[in-house]
Amino acid sequence: MVRRTEWPGDSADSSRAEKELSPQDPAERARAICLRLLTGTPRTRKQLADALRKREIPDDVADEVLSRFEDVGLIDDAAFAGAWVESRHHGRGLARRALARELRTKGVDAELIDEAVGQLDSEQEEETARELVARKLRATRGLDRDRRLRRLAGMLARKGYPEGMALRVVRQALEAEGEDTEDLPEGP
């Protein structure tokens, strides 16, 4: 019989293991929790605060530990937001609106969201929309024009692109394939 050593985070009982393995000092437990969570991926201050609250770390202790982590640069919501925008725009093709929504759910301050999303300009966003449509266009061949328009524009809408831009980009892509687009809406 092979016995496996379990570490905090290995099992569903990780919070139980955490309590057993970590000191009783709430500040020490809070530091250990934050360090473990930050090891895997960057997190926002709010995400860490929520994790500490869930593990019943007193709010004043959590705030003190989180402030110290910010002071030494382990938590940086501005850097997190900038990296998130870069990654999700280039990796998933998300538009500014969708990126802002995601950052809000992660607890990033509105001013930092505006700054991070402001990295993308309209031309860059439209170019990404064109690339997304070009990739998906082949999969819609054989469908009638209106169904293609709905699928392609819907895909862009789910990624946060404004309706006018989505319609314009899809219309141009369909025209380039030789589709008749005379009676389709223009888009702004």
Side-chain angles (χ1 to χ4, degrees), residues 63-82:
D63 194 46
E64 183 181 316
V65 169
L66 293 173
S67 292
R68 179 69 182 133
F69 273 47
E70 275 183 330
D71 291 345
V72 297
L74 291 172
I75 302 173
D76 185 348
D77 284 359
F80 176 91

Side-chain angles (χ1 to χ4, degrees), residues 86-94 135:
E86 181 73 20
S87 168
R88 302 285 284 179
H89 178 73
H90 293 294
R92 310 267 314 293
L94 297 182
R135 273 190 258 156

